[in-house]
Each structure stands twice: as structure tokens, then as C-alpha cells.
Amino acid sequence: MTTLPAAPTPATLREPAFSRLLFADPRLAPLWLILRLYVGYEWLSAGWGKITHPAGVWVGEKAGVAVTGFLNGALGKTGGDHPDVQGWYGWFLQHVALPNAAAFSYLVAYAEVLVGVALIVGLFTGVAAFFGGVMNASYLLAGTVSTNPLLFILATWLVLGWRVAGWWGLDRWVLVRFGVSEHLAVAAAELASHRRPGDAVR
């Protein structure tokens, strides 16, 4: 029986040129800036509205009142042949979220603000977009549509473009500390590796 030789495992997988252009090229940073600012503004305005709510039903003495109403509304969508809220998520809402409504109230309000601020200033854009998408998915699972589908899609794009989405923001300097940068030495080495012997250096 003939055994085929095993192919060597590459250190890294090369990224297609189109994917690199779209998700890693700073020339498209203005496009990512527009998406980032829109999503960030939506989160910041939603969270700030909760924190500064005059009735104090999100944070303060009445924290949990608004969340309780939202959760009870979601639990009312768990019945029927085609429920808007699936049974497993309804169990989570009833046995985990509802008994801790006050804690979830603070969590939601401040998480929305933090995600919004991080996206607007471009700090850890991919991480902020990920948690924003988690909140969008949570609201969708609870039967709330509104702008959540659009924001979830945009959050997914921002996660994919995390290297360049914050280029016009703080990530331009912060991510360098985590090794996310294009070093001239590396580029020169790659160019030299593809140059044939005898080629003149221009």
C-alpha cells in the first residue's frame, strides 16, 4: 500500500489579496470609520438614555424595573407553535436573568455606553464590536427586532476588519503594542525572497 507523503504544515496561511485589501488595508480606513462611528453612536445613545432616564428604572433605586418588564414581555413570546423566543432562551430569562434583573439592568446600561465609547474612539474596536454583537444577538433571541439585525451585521463586519477598523482611532497606536503592524523590515525580507539572483536593486 502506497503512503502519500504528508504535506508540510505552513507556519501561517496566506490571506487572499481581496480579503487583505478589505479587512487589513489602511486605505479603506475611512470606510471603516463611517461604520464604526454609526454603530458606536447607536450604542452610546442607547446606553446614555438608560443611564440618564428620569424615572431611574435602569440605574438607581428603581434599577431592574425596565428590565423586568422587558423580560416578562419576552417570556410571553415563548408560547405557540412557532414562538419568537425559543424555550431554552426562555428558561435562561426566567431562571437567570429575571431573578437578577437589577444586576442585568446595570450591566446592559453601562455595557452599551462602554461599547459605544470604544467604537467611537477606535479603542479595541474588534473586541467592542464583538460584545456589541453579543448584545444584539441577546435582544434578537428575546424577540426584539428593531435595529438589532443591522447592528449585528455591522458588528460582524467590524470584527472581521478589526485590524483596520480602528486605524483612524486609538487602535492605530494601541494595537502596535500587540504586534499588529506592518514592519518595513518584514516587507523588505519578503521582497528579497522573491527577487531572482542577479536582479538589480532599484
Side-chain angles (χ1 to χ4, degrees), residues 81-171:
D81 295 332
H82 304 285
D84 293 333
V85 178
Q86 297 299 308
W88 66 269
Y89 197 69
W91 184 95
F92 168 79
L93 296 180
Q94 184 174 3
H95 295 89
V96 179
L98 197 57
N100 302 286
F104 273 87
S105 184
Y106 278 95
L107 178 64
V108 168
Y110 284 103
E112 290 183 350
V113 169
L114 290 176
V115 167
V117 171
L119 289 175
I120 289 175
V121 302
L123 179 62
F124 297 118
T125 301
V127 177
F130 171 79
F131 283 107
V134 169
M135 287 191 290
N136 288 134
S138 300
Y139 301 153
L140 287 170
L141 288 171
T144 301
V145 181
S146 185
T147 59
N148 288 299
L150 175 61
L151 291 178
F152 180 80
I153 292 172
L154 295 180
T156 303
W157 292 353
L158 289 171
V159 171
L160 292 173
W162 67 275
R163 289 168 293 179
V164 70
W167 181 257
W168 280 14
L170 297 181
D171 278 347

Side-chain angles (χ1 to χ4, degrees), residues 55-59 61-72 98 101-102 105:
V57 293
W58 286 93
V59 297
E61 295 181 357
K62 298 181 180 179
V65 173
V67 168
T68 299
F70 174 80
L71 295 177
N72 285 327
L98 197 57
S105 184

